Amino acid sequence: MLGIVHFPFFVAAVFLLNVTPGPDTAYIVGRSVAQGRAAGLMSALGICTGCCVHTIACAFGLTALLAASATAFTVIKFAGAIYLIYLGVRLAFSSSAKSQAAPDGAGDGDAPVQVSKPLRQLFLQGFWTNVLNPKVVLFFVSFFPQFVSGESQHKALAFLTLGGVFVAMSIVWCLFLVWVASGVTRRLGGKPGVKKWLDRVVGSAFVGLGLKLATATR
């Protein structure tokens, strides 16, 4: 159908890809542990939206053009690395800043104002974490074509279908990560010291991922 071939192998490969730790997994787990289930869900939604962008780009050839250009690869690589390092540093030091600001900013009237904006930021951060990862670009352009017949008359639609399956499986895995990681948050309860330590660990991991991405080759 639509020229899609070896579909069971595609599903198996996507499953293995999802369970392999990477920047997306680290971001979802970190946000879920630091801020709870809602933050994890928004982060996962942002990442899966980024996968939708890659799917559309792959279907219409934009991903192939980026992968073929050394300049484009380098620009995306360093943009993604800088963004990951920025998120890591911000996460690592955010707990200290919040703990210092808490005595002055403790007010019941502030709570409703601060809910929507952080969640929106988490969505955008998850989105850009995925979109600015050049390894995701190369994955889509090298992986998806293996499951579309060269004789297919509907290549774009085949890519979109495979992308839809990829995103659907990713959503299920991300929801599982959020559920597990947010359980850690509930168990931590009133232990801000432990959560601050976890923020720093996850932040340091992001810095490490950013540095690794900056030194990656095509």
Side-chain angles (χ1 to χ4, degrees):
M1 182 179 179
L2 302 177
I4 297 175
V5 297
H6 309 305
F7 184 72
F9 291 100
F10 174 82
V11 173
V14 171
F15 172 78
L16 293 175
L17 175 72
N18 280 327
V19 301
T20 302
D24 292 346
T25 300
Y27 185 73
I28 292 172
V29 172
R31 289 295 86 207
S32 299
V33 171
Q35 292 182 239
R37 183 169 297 174
L41 289 174
M42 290 302 294
S43 301
L45 181 60
I47 287 171
C48 291
T49 303
C51 289
C52 292
V53 172
H54 287 297
T55 297
I56 295 172
C58 182
F60 295 100
L62 299 178
T63 301
L65 293 176
L66 288 175
S69 171
T71 301
F73 177 86
T74 301
V75 170
I76 295 178
K77 180 182 75 171
F78 283 111
I82 292 171
Y83 191 67
L84 284 175
I85 293 172
Y86 162 76
L87 289 180
V89 172
R90 186 174 179 179
L91 180 61
F93 291 98
S94 63
S95 295
S96 299
K98 288 178 182 178
S99 62
Q100 292 174 1
D104 297 329
D108 295 336
D110 295 336
V113 180
Q114 297 179 356
V115 173
S116 60
K117 184 177 180 181
L119 292 180
R120 185 168 60 250
Q121 289 177 348
L122 291 174
F123 172 85
L124 292 174
Q125 287 176 357
F127 175 81
W128 289 116
T129 297
N130 183 272
V131 169
L132 292 178
N133 189 344
K135 292 185 177 181
V136 179
V137 175
L138 295 181
F139 167 78
F140 271 78
V141 76
S142 62
F143 180 70
F144 276 47
Q146 299 181 51
F147 301 94
V148 178
S149 172
E151 300 176 356
S152 172
Q153 301 298 317
H154 308 281
K155 289 186 176 64
L157 189 56
F159 281 124
L160 291 175
T161 301
L162 291 175
V165 174
F166 179 90
V167 172
M169 293 182 63
S170 299
I171 289 175
V172 173
W173 173 248
C174 289
L175 291 177
F176 173 76
L177 287 177
V178 172
W179 178 71
V180 173
S182 61
V184 175
T185 303
R186 290 195 300 271
R187 286 194 294 270
L188 289 176
K191 300 178 181 178
V194 178
K195 291 184 68 175
K196 180 165 63 176
W197 179 82
L198 287 172
D199 281 349
R200 290 178 177 177
V201 170
V202 176
S204 299
F206 262 87
V207 173
L209 288 169
L211 294 175
K212 182 179 179 181
L213 179 59
T215 57
T217 56
R218 298 180 65 199

